[in-house]
Amino acid sequence: MAAALTEAEISAGLATLNNWTRAGDALVKEFSFDSYLAGVAFATSVGVVAEGLDHHPDMTIGWRRVTVSFTTHDAGNQLSAKDIAAAAAVDGLGYPR
């Protein structure tokens, strides 16, 4: 079972990420793309990364945008170190928006 982060740990983790925000007990980021299919390809890449980490986000694919949201279910649907690490891995895919 994962341990929930403290408020200080959440703030410190967010400071290491590229434009992720906290929405309640989730880390959220919206990515913008030049086309719908570019967003779909990105969502597939996020899925591959998430599968490798065994930590899966909720994703919404819209027209030229994808929203990615991480929370840790086995930490009582709160934020854990898994969420910070997964968000950093998604940032590592190189999509700056």
Side-chain angles (χ1 to χ4, degrees):
M1 190 140 166
L5 296 175
T6 66
E7 292 298 321
E9 290 169 329
I10 293 167
S11 294
L14 278 169
T16 67
L17 300 173
N18 183 20
N19 295 320
W20 288 80
T21 59
R22 182 179 181 183
D25 288 322
L27 294 181
V28 179
K29 184 172 179 179
E30 184 175 281
F31 296 83
S32 299
F33 300 91
D34 293 333
S35 70
Y36 175 76
L37 288 179
V40 171
F42 169 74
T44 300
S45 296
V46 171
V48 170
V49 167
E51 187 67 16
L53 295 172
D54 193 29
H55 192 60
H56 306 92
D58 289 329
M59 288 191 279
T60 303
I61 300 170
W63 184 70
R64 297 181 0 168
R65 71 183 184 291
V66 175
T67 303
V68 180
S69 175
F70 284 103
T71 191
T72 302
H73 303 292
D74 68 350
N77 293 317
Q78 297 182 61
L79 291 170
S80 77
K82 289 180 176 182
D83 301 305
I84 302 295
V90 171
D91 280 345
L93 291 172
Y95 291 88
R97 299 188 222 173

